[in-house]
């Protein structure tokens, strides 16, 4: 079967608030800006994007499971679930698609409870602390991984 030219973009809880509060940490761009940035970055490489943001873990799990059918990879900012969720990690591992983990802020320089990620060992790409533009970097690196797999 040929590789589908589509990525799933997943944004976790509270990221719908982007651009409305805490601009010193997360910048002033909104979730709509993030989704546009990712869509444009992917389009440059010939990929479409399906975007989901939810404050409900199960909605995120269902979207990840569905990606198995028609996506080539997943770009995810799991937000606070990064540091708490074994089930999110299991969903990502279960679909066996290449994953790029993105964090807008540099979680390594923040509170100790943000230093551990349940997702990092199932992600092939990590872009941390580059602000919203890190999502575009993640798209590029993830598509490089997908293109490399297609050559195998
Ligand atoms: O830096 C990131 O991208 C985070 O994934 C963002 C999460 C945080 O829990 C992670 O440790 C790091 C928080 C997302 C909440 O975003 C907000 C944005 C604006 C206002 C309030 C929350």
């Amino acid at each position: 079967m040929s590789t589908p030219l589509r990525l799933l973009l997943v944004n976790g809880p509270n990221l719908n608030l982007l651009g409305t509060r805490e601009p010193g940490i997360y910048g002033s761009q909104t979730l709509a800006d993030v989704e546009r940035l990712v869509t444009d970055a992917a389009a440059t490489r010939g990929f479409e994007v399906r975007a989901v943001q939810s404050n409900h873990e199960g909605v995120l799990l269902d979207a990840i499971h569905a990606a198995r059918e028609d996506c080539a990879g997943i770009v995810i900012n799991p937000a606070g679930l990064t540091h708490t969720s074994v089930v999110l990690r299991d969903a990502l591992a279960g679909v066996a698609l290449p994953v790029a983990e993105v964090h807008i802020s540099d979680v390594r320089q923040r509170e100790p409870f943000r230093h551990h990620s349940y997702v990092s060992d199932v992600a092939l790409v990590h872009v941390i602390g580059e602000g919203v533009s890190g999502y575009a970097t993640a798209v590029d690196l993830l598509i490089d991984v997908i293109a490399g797999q297609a050559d195998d």
Side-chain angles (χ1 to χ4, degrees):
M1 203 180 75
S2 62
T3 307
L5 296 179
R6 185 177 300 109
L7 302 179
L8 178 67
L9 169 66
V10 180
N11 278 296
N14 300 310
L15 285 165
N16 55 309
L17 299 176
L18 271 180
T20 67
R21 292 185 48 232
E22 305 204 56
I25 300 176
Y26 300 117
S28 55
Q29 289 179 282
T30 65
L31 178 65
D33 293 330
V34 168
E35 293 183 350
R36 199 172 311 113
L37 178 76
V38 168
T39 300
D40 290 349
T44 307
R45 304 283 301 268
F47 278 70
E48 295 177 8
V49 172
R50 181 191 303 133
V52 60
Q53 186 280 329
S54 181
N55 298 323
H56 304 277
E57 196 168 30
V59 172
L60 302 177
L61 300 190
D62 288 345
I64 289 165
H65 293 174
R68 234 180 347 176
E69 306 300 324
D70 61 358
C71 292
I74 299 174
V75 176
I76 183 166
N77 183 343
L81 295 174
T82 308
H83 319 297
T84 63
S85 182
V86 174
V87 295
L88 180 66
R89 180 206 180 282
D90 287 346
L92 292 168
V95 296
L97 292 170
V99 173
E101 177 182 4
V102 180
H103 296 287
I104 298 168
S105 64
D106 189 348
V107 284
R108 298 160 301 197
Q109 305 295 327
R110 297 183 64 191
E111 305 94 321
F113 65 82
R114 296 186 201 275
H115 295 181
H116 179 259
S117 167
Y118 281 99
V119 170
S120 62
D121 71 327
V122 296
L124 295 174
V125 170
H126 307 88
V127 183
I128 296 171
E130 293 189 14
V132 160
S133 67
Y135 283 89
T137 306
V139 166
D140 254 335
L141 293 172
L142 184 64
I143 292 176
D144 288 346
V145 169
I146 293 165
Q149 289 177 343
D151 291 342
D152 290 345

